[in-house]
Amino acid sequence: MGLLAGLMTLASCQWRELDYDYIDTARFTLIYDWSRSSLRGNDPQTMAGTGGTVQPGDPINGRTAAFYPEDGSAPIIRMSHSDTMNVNLLVGKYRAVFFNETFDDFDNIRFYGTDYFDDLEAALKEDLSSGAGSRAGNLIAREPDILAVETMIPFEVTEEMVLYTRAMETRNTKSLSDMMGAAAMKKVEESLTVTARPRDVVYPVSVDVVVYGMDNIASAGAYITGFSGGFDFSTGRSAKSSVTHKVTFSERKYDPGSTTDGTMRGTFTSFGLRNELGSSRAGDDDTRAELTDYTFEFRAVLINGEVFTEIRSINNLITEVNQDGRLTITIEVGQNLSGTDVDPPIKIPDVEPVGSEDGMWQVNVGDWEEVVVPIGF
């Protein structure tokens, strides 16, 4: 019986060497093209990255490619300092994400749900310098760094891609060409080079406010509530969460012939309008939904030291302009002086300056009385 079993085993098995170099993945070359973003790639002349907040025009310090298998298994995440990187992937379908920097490189953005594509979100960090913590229940948020993103769904890896990679690695392309044909082999070769073209998901916002009595203001700013608190990778749109942004009015321009009335301007960056049904985004053609719960709180320190505040809705005062795939947002307060929706200028009360004629406060100190205090040891 033992002899019979041995004969059956020899007849049914074929001996072969263990192949420790067996290749079961496809090798992709990833190329980043930043021409659709406000960032610039690090070519040999700009290889040095910048520290701190990522600003428009900055060279990019890092790049991230994350591949989330549709079966829910662990993601494959690759990072590089170059605009070209390589990644090996098993056969299957993925949801791929490409963006600048890494999950840990941003000063003002943190990432959540990095293990699962459906949970992946970039969210703004709290502005701890504000002291107020929140405004009308909304987090006072920092301005986001520039984040540029592209997603590819589905990102598919086929058996043919694995066969091509194996043939290239073992230098056995002739047999593969005989099997699948030169044209098909060329097509597979081209599919293994992928170009990612991320777009900005952070947008500049300019705020113009018409002010009567602007000469009575020493300094001014605003709290603007309603803009999105992050970016949802699974939808490819801004998150539904709402935050508050602080704005300082650094520019003022008086109307021609006036020394009292004019326009104040401030700017900030944001993740744009909250994701609401019909909301437009860069590259989209759908119509924007009616905005709700966007507010503007104007705050000014007057030349007499008093603080002036005024709160109003700005749902109808926000405009998105999409030009060449770049989205910019404007808020115009007090400039709609005709039609049914009248938004009047901010009116500052007339006050007397404190301290000096130029309206700057001064601390007047009287004569000092010299007092000698003995200190015993």
Side-chain angles (χ1 to χ4, degrees):
M1 291 180 65
L3 179 61
L4 180 61
L7 290 173
M8 291 178 64
T9 302
L10 290 172
S12 61
C13 296
Q14 180 180 3
W15 181 89
R16 59 175 292 183
E17 272 189 57
L18 288 174
D19 186 357
Y20 292 103
D21 296 323
Y22 180 74
I23 298 169
D24 60 350
T25 59
R27 184 175 178 83
F28 288 86
T29 298
L30 308 178
I31 300 173
Y32 284 81
D33 176 358
W34 302 102
S35 61
R36 296 181 180 177
S37 76
S38 60
L39 299 167
R40 58 190 175 97
N42 290 356
D43 56 30
Q45 285 73 41
T46 60
M47 282 299 291
T50 57
T53 305
V54 182
Q55 298 291 339
D58 277 354
I60 303 158
N61 184 51
R63 301 116 175 96
T64 297
F67 300 87
Y68 291 85
E70 289 194 351
D71 62 8
S73 54
I76 296 90
I77 299 175
R78 295 290 181 268
M79 291 169 282
S80 173
H81 287 291
S82 169
D83 280 335
T84 302
M85 71 169 76
N86 295 311
V87 61
N88 285 67
L89 298 171
L90 293 167
V91 171
K93 290 184 178 181
Y94 300 80
R95 290 175 287 186
V97 176
F98 308 91
F99 61 93
N100 60 298
E101 314 309 327
T102 71
F103 289 127
D104 301 316
D105 278 345
F106 294 93
D107 283 354
N108 300 333
I109 299 173
R110 61 166 51 94
F111 291 83
Y112 295 99
T114 56
D115 290 337
Y116 300 98
F117 179 78
D118 288 337
D119 298 334
L120 183 59
E121 181 176 328
L124 288 174
K125 296 180 181 179
E126 182 180 358
D127 185 356
L128 297 176
S129 66
S130 66
S134 64
R135 212 77 182 170
N138 283 265
L139 174 80
I140 298 179
R142 303 183 193 179
E143 292 186 37
D145 314 71
I146 297 300
L147 173 63
V149 176
E150 183 178 11
T151 57
M152 296 183 184
I153 304 173
F155 187 99
E156 187 170 5
V157 181
T158 64
E159 289 282 1
E160 289 76 16
M161 294 175 177
V162 174
L163 291 174
Y164 180 88
T165 301
R166 188 181 302 156
M168 292 299 294
E169 292 292 328
T170 59
R171 299 183 181 180
N172 190 21
T173 55
K174 186 178 185 306
S175 60
L176 182 63
S177 179
D178 293 341
M179 182 181 69
M180 77 170 50
M185 186 174 171
K186 181 68 174 177
K187 187 175 181 180
V188 172
E189 176 188 8
E190 292 173 351
S191 67
L192 289 171
T193 298
V194 176
T195 301
R197 297 180 175 86
R199 292 177 180 268
D200 290 354
V201 297
V202 169
Y203 312 107
V205 183
S206 63
V207 186
D208 291 321
V209 185
V210 176
V211 180
Y212 288 178
M214 192 165 63
D215 57 315
N216 289 308
I217 295 176
S219 63
Y223 289 107
I224 296 178
T225 297
F227 281 81
S228 174
F231 178 77
D232 186 339
F233 286 84
S234 65
T235 63
R237 291 175 177 264
S238 57
K240 296 179 180 179
S241 58
S242 173
V243 296
T244 296
H245 286 284
K246 292 192 308 181
V247 184
T248 299
F249 294 110
S250 55
E251 300 178 41
R252 61 174 74 188
K253 181 179 180 181
Y254 285 95
D255 295 338
S258 176
T259 59
T260 60
D261 306 336
T263 301
M264 306 191 80
R265 164 168 284 197
T267 60
F268 67 101
T269 57
S270 79
F271 277 112
L273 304 179
R274 301 190 310 278
N275 181 13
E276 299 175 284
L277 181 63
S279 175
S280 64
R281 289 297 177 267
D284 292 349
D285 296 325
D286 48 346
T287 303
R288 191 182 79 179
E290 183 177 349
L291 303 185
T292 57
D293 300 324
Y294 288 82
T295 61
F296 172 83
E297 180 181 346
F298 184 83
R299 296 177 62 84
V301 178
L302 306 186
I303 57 175
N304 67 345
E306 294 179 4
V307 176
F308 172 88
T309 63
E310 183 172 329
I311 301 175
R312 63 177 65 178
S313 170
I314 54 172
N315 293 331
N316 299 323
L317 307 179
I318 302 174
T319 303
E320 291 180 301
V321 178
N322 195 332
Q323 186 173 7
D324 298 327
R326 303 284 177 86
L327 188 71
T328 60
I329 302 172
T330 60
I331 303 172
E332 296 181 321
V333 178
Q335 299 193 35
N336 183 13
L337 301 180
S338 61
T340 56
D341 297 325
V342 175
D343 185 66
I346 299 288
K347 296 181 179 180
I348 305 298
D350 192 21
V351 295
E352 294 297 324
V354 172
S356 65
E357 293 182 355
D358 61 5
M360 302 303 292
W361 307 309
Q362 293 182 351
V363 178
N364 296 318
V365 180
D367 294 334
W368 290 95
E369 179 182 355
E370 187 172 321
V371 178
V372 178
V373 180
I375 299 176
F377 293 94

